[in-house]
Amino acid sequence: MTIGLPGPSGPPVARAPETVTLGAHLAGCLQRLRAAAGYPVTGIEDMRALHELLGAAGSLPLGGQPASASFVSDDHTPAELSVSFPGGGVPSVRVLVEPGCVAPTLAESARVGRRAVERLAERWGCSTGPLRLVEDLFLPPAPRGRFALWCALELRCGGTPGIKVYLDPLARGPEGAAAAVGEALGRLGHGRAWPALLESAASRPGDELMFFSVDLGDWAAPRVKVYVAHRGISAEGAGHIARLACGGGRPGVARFCREAAGTGMFDRRPLVSCFSFTGRDAARPTAHTVHVPVRDYVRDDREARDRAAALLLRRGVPAAPLDRALAAMTSRDLGGGVGLISYLSLVQADGAEPRLTVYLSPEAYRVRAPRTSG
Ligand code: TRP
């Protein structure tokens, strides 16, 4: 039995399979999640890509300490899965990995991550051009941020995954973050939208640029994305910020935040906005996503599941696929811990139905005990 680290409010919850490797645990989660979402049984290419991204971390046993202090997931599992539920459509599965998580320095982590992305792009015949255009801004010789490079795969039924690369705006320190993001957007053809975004969505004292992301490979419309964390914001404040994207009117963002979190004030873990850019030279972002860190605003995962199910139902999506996804991730009682469901997000894009995504922690090292108060 692995003894978990103490939860924020209550005793640690022990978890079992310490003879299993991190790679096997994550492959099991991903394979089951694919099946739950209706992907074909053979996902050989998806599994191979997962192992490639995990690299050396994949063969470490789960018992004992996490492979690194990765903040992809709360318990330092260097991976997170998510399922997106388009109204009326089939769910899609994604997996996010920190490829260089066991490297001794961020500089080495950057090299490991960069090589992993290059190998996938080569195998799938896609260009790393957008990454090459901006990497000097986020992968300096001695990075100072919280991570070097994360890579996510959006799995496709019967096709190669889409690749998303995440970089740290703080790589040159907090004082260089806005300049790095502005310069990167400019190089990728989205500079026109930056001044307004910076002023209205990233200039409050509680705002922090969190990720800069580029899509590589096979996408209908590859995106460039800027993520901003908003500490101490209200649901209405988040709704106001969302108006910057897609022609202005973004009804429903404030309501979504309130219903997902059960509160109108985000004084625990911050809300995160993401602005997406497609095409070139647009005056405003073409899509907006709000991420609600639901795990800090519920007692346990049962409550988080019920919130997600209610939000899905409102959009005409039944709860069964969500329940299948949760069962694919863990066999534990949902009421026995909190953090399996890390975020609930709502994306709204020009000309598309709003879409809900549920982010799932593999809980490889620890299950956080339910909140006992507040
Ligand atoms: N674990 C980190 C956090 O919760 C980073 C992270 C993982 C994240 N997945 C995310 C941030 C999805 C925003 C949205 O902040």
Side-chain angles (χ1 to χ4, degrees):
M1 264 294 160
T2 305
I3 302 301
L5 307 171
S9 55
V13 177
R15 54 160 298 114
E18 66 185 31
T19 48
V20 174
T21 62
L22 177 62
H25 176 70
L26 293 173
C29 289
L30 189 61
Q31 192 69 276
R32 290 188 300 272
L33 199 57
R34 289 177 80 266
Y39 282 71
V41 247
T42 51
I44 295 167
E45 189 60 19
D46 295 347
M47 292 303 154
R48 187 173 162 201
L50 170 68
H51 285 292
E52 186 137 350
L53 287 177
L54 282 171
S59 49
L60 298 175
L62 284 192
Q65 289 303 303
S68 74
S70 173
F71 83 109
V72 172
S73 289
D74 292 353
D75 71 344
H76 305 307
T77 307
E80 180 180 70
L81 287 77
S82 59
V83 188
S84 200
F85 296 93
V90 280
S92 68
V93 170
R94 302 85 149 273
V95 56
L96 167 68
V97 177
E98 178 164 10
C101 68
V102 291
T105 62
L106 277 182
E108 180 57 18
S109 179
R111 280 189 286 275
V112 172
R114 195 58 190 79
R115 277 198 300 269
V117 169
E118 204 63 49
R119 275 197 302 272
L120 292 181
E122 216 166 89
R123 170 135 35 93
W124 297 334
C126 61
S127 158
T128 52
L131 175 57
R132 272 186 274 114
L133 269 179
V134 299
E135 63 188 330
D136 62 299
L137 300 167
F138 302 104
L139 303 174
R144 286 166 54 193
R146 289 168 297 190
F147 71 101
L149 182 154
W150 291 355
C151 180
L153 304 176
E154 181 162 306
L155 307 188
R156 309 265 167 73
C157 278
T160 54
I163 305 173
K164 321 186 218 189
V165 175
Y166 296 84
L167 300 163
D168 188 352
L170 305 180
R172 293 174 182 275
E175 62 291 351
V181 170
E183 170 69 19
L185 282 175
R187 289 187 196 173
L188 292 164
H190 305 294
R192 193 148 79 93
W194 174 239
L197 199 166
L198 180 61
E199 188 183 317
S200 59
S203 294
R204 295 163 56 256
D207 293 342
E208 186 178 65
L209 289 162
M210 195 176 197
F211 305 122
F212 185 85
S213 160
V214 289
D215 286 350
L216 305 177
D218 183 19
W219 297 89
R223 299 151 308 170
V224 174
K225 292 180 287 178
V226 176
Y227 289 74
V228 188
H230 310 289
R231 216 164 281 287
I233 201 169
S234 66
E236 278 61 39
H240 189 78
I241 284 173
R243 280 198 256 146
L244 193 70
C246 347
R250 292 295 84 194
V253 169
R255 181 173 175 189
F256 173 81
C257 293
R258 240 183 286 112
E259 291 180 1
T263 176
M265 190 59 205
F266 291 83
D267 48 6
R268 294 179 188 161
R269 201 179 292 264
L271 273 183
V272 178
S273 301
C274 167
F275 298 93
S276 302
F277 300 85
T278 46
R280 278 185 81 84
D281 206 26
R284 36 168 98 231
T286 41
H288 168 269
T289 310
V290 64
H291 297 82
V292 175
V294 62
R295 64 201 185 283
D296 275 28
Y297 298 89
V298 287
R299 177 190 178 276
D300 55 42
D301 283 304
R302 165 69 47 203
E303 197 179 349
R305 177 264 170 217
D306 291 346
R307 299 245 180 95
L311 289 162
L312 283 169
L313 269 180
R314 160 99 48 77
R315 287 164 182 80
V317 181
L322 168 66
D323 289 329
R324 280 200 298 274
L326 297 174
M329 293 296 293
T330 186
S331 55
R332 76 165 168 83
D333 170 22
L334 293 181
V338 67
L340 169 67
I341 304 179
S342 58
Y343 280 95
L344 299 178
S345 80
L346 183 72
V347 62
Q348 313 200 65
D350 281 335
E353 282 285 296
R355 187 164 39 84
L356 203 123
T357 301
V358 179
Y359 291 76
L360 300 165
S361 165
E363 298 186 327
Y365 299 108
R366 186 192 87 167
V367 175
R368 190 198 292 179
R371 300 181 72 84
T372 50
S373 61

